[in-house]
Amino acid sequence: MSLYLGFDSSTQSLTGIVLEIGGSERRVVFQRSLNFDRDFPHYGTQSGVLPHADPLVATSSPLLWAEALDRFMGILARDSKVDLSRLRAVSGAAQQHGSVYLNIAAAAGLGRLDPRQPLVAQLSGMLSRAEAPIWMDSSTTAQCAAIASAVGGNDALARLTGSRAFERFTGPQIRKYHEQDPSGYAATERIHLVSSFLASLLIGAHAPIEPGDGAGMNLMDLAAGRWSGVAMRATAAGLDRKLPELAPSWSVIGRLSRFWVERYGLPPASVIAWSGDNPCSLIGVGLVTPGRIGISLGTSDTLFGLLRAPRIDPAGASHVFGAATGDYMALVCFKNGSLARERVRDAYGLEWHGFSRLLRDTPPGNRGAIMLPWFEPEVTPPVLEAGVRRYGLDAGDAAANVRAVIEAQMLATARHAGWMGERVVAIHATGGAAQNRAILQVMADVHGAEVRQLAVAESAALGAALRAFHGEQVAQGREIGWEEVVAGFVEPVARVRPDPSSVAVYAGLKPVYAACEAHALGRGPDPTPLVEAFRSGLDPD
Ligand code: ADP
Ligand code: XUL
């Protein structure tokens, strides 16, 4: 039986999962997470982010991610109790959009890593920029406007790359770096995504980017699967020489380098191209055919589904990425996910247990009380100035605020996913908060669809391990369908069914929520009469 290792280097943690697969025998044999704040306190991150005076700026440390990878491999070799000589392939997922800047020393340095020394001590001389901007950054509005205008507008950019210009996307981030630190940009020989940076550390050479994660940069011609000359020129001078190559998602990009083999006694297993956490989650929740959607409740909340052909959101709020199957994926990202839930939990001195109890004990519809939980600048809908808005909601009422944050998040996923055109019959739920059944009940009721809870909550790491398996099979010349790849790992362990009376309540609340959102964005009248009409059970018309 062979072993396959999948990583997820997310905002807050590094998770690794080892799968054992032999025919229909399939199981998870090892799983471990390292938390960045807790296990690597010397970097000083908070929820995985370095402190900054400017609330729009969000960065993290590439050295932290590398140190976590090194420590994880040590734990795997020491604690896993599995015969690692059977490890055939490794792949990974990483938080999307973040970028790592390496200098000329990296190409040779990556190939000469000394297995007797910690990885991190050998990397600092290879970075041309100490920090990596990450997906939570919203400081590049000016650069977004400049890039969009240079390619003929945001509609043209969305048709070309799958998304209009977004602050957190890599292209606008690179442009900002080029403008603000031209000498640092000039000293940069290669710009990696978090995914291709970590893959480079594994193979001891610059790794390629794959199209799932490459589509999150505003730089890739989505339909052609190539870097776009127009987009690169609109972003920064000389960028075509600094980007890694693009390679198909299932490519074997190298083998575990001598560093890993000698340091931890690992075999020289194949390394399959790393991808973004969302494209890997698509596989890890089993969405290998169209018609169902996934919702991930992680640091960000995301809603996603497989598309056979690229289709663009006319409202410009969402993205189309490449999918590991060679198809496409639609994605809507909400920044105020778990951290917003935690802010409400902590504001009322609750633990998750008490939070869930208040959620269960309050009525669906919350008597019309609505919160817009924009604790941080929001991606969907775009909100640059953070600030929580409350309509008909008393900030002192703990129970109503708990329900309000969850209902708002679920109503937002329903409101901003309509463009995908899929009638949602089932939702595959994943991410840290998907273990919370009270939250999943609100999800089922708002969407009027069954929510499936999966055995492995870490869908991005699981998807990466399954991609490692698939890539290795393809490399061996074996034809394997994606249904067969995911079989045995993505069957639901529980189904949360919608309650018809609650579904009816939310049908009435959706227009109230939409009116509150429009008002908060400065695009609609005061929704108070609608809130009051909902509360008194009167038809607002
Ligand atoms: P990411 O991969 O984006 O770093 P995860 O998917 O691991 O994040 O989710 C981590 C989050 O899960 C934590 O920030 C926490 O808020 C949330 N979480 C963990 N347990 C619960 C729970 N019982 N109820 C709600 N949220 C939870
Ligand atoms: C997706 C996005 C987030 C990150 C989180 O566009 O920005 O989901 O990938 O890790």
Side-chain angles (χ1 to χ4, degrees):
M1 297 242 266
S2 300
L3 301 178
Y4 300 92
L5 169 58
F7 284 106
D8 176 25
S9 180
S10 73
T11 317
Q12 302 193 56
S13 56
L14 175 75
T15 299
I17 292 185
V18 181
L19 307 181
E20 185 176 57
I21 302 182
S24 59
E25 293 262 330
R26 289 152 174 249
R27 58 196 185 111
V28 175
V29 290
F30 184 72
Q31 177 169 347
R32 188 68 63 86
S33 288
L34 298 173
N35 180 278
F36 294 146
D37 298 359
R38 196 184 51 230
D39 297 322
F40 304 88
H42 42 294
Y43 289 92
T45 53
Q46 278 172 13
S47 303
V49 186
L50 292 168
H52 279 280
D54 181 347
L56 296 181
V57 171
T59 67
S60 188
S61 166
L63 297 180
L64 163 60
W65 301 327
E67 190 173 337
L69 189 65
D70 197 7
R71 191 178 301 173
F72 183 93
M73 289 299 206
I75 293 170
L76 177 70
R78 198 185 61 220
D79 294 353
S80 69
K81 299 193 176 61
V82 289
D83 173 10
L84 290 169
S85 68
R86 293 185 284 123
L87 182 66
R88 295 278 171 273
V90 183
S91 189
Q95 54 171 308
Q96 296 197 253
H97 318 297
S99 42
V100 180
Y101 299 72
L102 296 180
N103 62 28
I104 190 95
L110 287 169
R112 279 200 307 258
L113 294 170
D114 178 354
R116 289 160 307 181
Q117 306 295 330
L119 178 61
V120 74
Q122 305 177 63
L123 290 181
S124 42
M126 299 182 205
L127 293 173
S128 53
R129 184 179 184 183
E131 294 183 10
I134 63 162
W135 69 275
M136 296 173 99
D137 188 284
S138 12
S139 68
T140 62
T141 304
Q143 289 78 14
C144 286
I147 292 171
S149 124
V151 301
N154 263 318
D155 287 349
L157 187 63
R159 278 194 303 276
L160 179 66
T161 68
S163 301
R164 66 166 173 81
F166 277 88
E167 277 80 359
R168 70 193 191 288
F169 274 42
T170 325
Q173 294 292 337
I174 294 172
R175 186 180 171 100
K176 179 179 160 196
Y177 185 52
H178 174 252
E179 284 172 8
Q180 297 192 343
D181 186 356
S183 60
Y185 179 79
T188 301
E189 208 242 343
R190 197 61 54 94
I191 303 175
H192 278 291
L193 289 176
V194 184
S195 57
S196 62
F197 168 65
L198 292 169
S200 304
L201 299 180
L202 291 186
I203 63 173
H206 283 303
I209 286 178
E210 65 75 57
D213 216 11
M217 301 172 79
N218 281 140
L219 287 170
M220 194 185 84
D221 179 333
L222 183 70
R226 281 197 301 268
W227 295 129
S228 155
V230 174
M232 286 190 292
R233 280 190 296 280
T235 300
L239 184 53
D240 53 337
R241 294 188 298 280
K242 298 185 197 284
L243 292 178
E245 287 171 20
L246 282 162
S249 188
W250 45 86
S251 311
V252 176
I253 58 167
R255 297 191 159 274
L256 283 183
S257 72
R258 190 176 72 92
F259 177 83
W260 305 102
V261 170
E262 293 187 9
R263 188 165 169 80
Y264 297 118
L266 298 171
S270 301
V271 178
I272 310 300
W274 283 43
S275 183
D277 50 4
N278 292 296
C280 286
S281 275
L282 188 76
I283 303 299
V285 300
L287 295 186
V288 294
T289 51
R292 288 165 292 166
I293 63 165
I295 294 185
S296 171
L297 304 176
T299 306
S300 62
D301 288 351
T302 58
L303 179 148
F304 47 81
L306 187 104
L307 301 174
R308 290 283 185 228
R311 189 159 8 104
I312 304 299
D313 169 16
S318 331
H319 318 299
V320 182
F321 296 149
T325 54
D327 302 291
Y328 298 89
M329 78 178 282
L331 179 119
V332 196
C333 176
F334 303 88
K335 188 166 163 187
N336 285 284
S338 277
L339 301 184
R341 289 183 283 276
E342 287 174 18
R343 291 280 280 269
V344 172
R345 181 197 64 183
D346 297 345
Y348 302 102
L350 300 165
E351 302 290 336
W352 284 127
H353 177 73
F355 182 97
S356 308
R357 189 170 43 75
L358 292 183
L359 185 56
R360 270 192 298 267
D361 290 351
T362 38
N366 214 12
R367 302 185 182 92
I370 300 261
M371 174 195 287
L372 298 173
W374 298 332
F375 291 92
E376 299 289 333
E378 181 48 68
V379 169
T380 313
V383 177
L384 278 179
E385 208 160 305
V388 175
R389 278 70 155 178
R390 290 182 172 83
Y391 295 91
L393 175 64
D394 172 4
D397 181 341
N401 279 268
V402 164
R403 179 158 279 280
V405 67
I406 300 299
E407 288 191 345
Q409 291 175 323
M410 298 308 145
L411 287 161
T413 58
R415 174 166 166 72
H416 296 286
W419 69 276
M420 284 165 63
E422 302 286 355
R423 203 180 75 79
V424 179
V425 287
I427 301 171
H428 293 212
T430 180
Q435 59 187 285
N436 189 318
R437 292 289 284 270
I439 295 178
L440 297 191
Q441 187 64 55
V442 181
M443 185 187 284
D445 293 341
V446 167
H447 284 271
E450 177 181 289
V451 174
R452 298 177 180 168
Q453 210 176 14
L454 307 174
V456 180
E458 295 284 355
S459 61
L462 173 63
L466 292 169
R467 290 183 50 248
F469 168 55
H470 170 262
E472 203 248 353
Q473 297 292 300
V474 172
Q476 302 287 323
R478 295 203 194 100
E479 278 199 20
I480 182 161
W482 280 96
E483 296 280 5
E484 192 188 334
V485 171
V486 302
F489 290 112
V490 296
E491 285 68 24
V493 288
R495 296 168 192 268
V496 179
R497 299 210 160 78
D499 171 70
S501 62
S502 305
V503 174
V505 170
Y506 288 122
L509 192 62
K510 281 175 184 172
V512 184
Y513 171 80
C516 293
E517 203 187 87
H519 177 259
L521 295 170
R523 295 195 206 125
D526 182 358
T528 308
L530 275 178
V531 170
E532 279 166 5
F534 179 89
R535 180 177 299 155
S536 57
L538 295 172
D539 185 342
D541 297 320

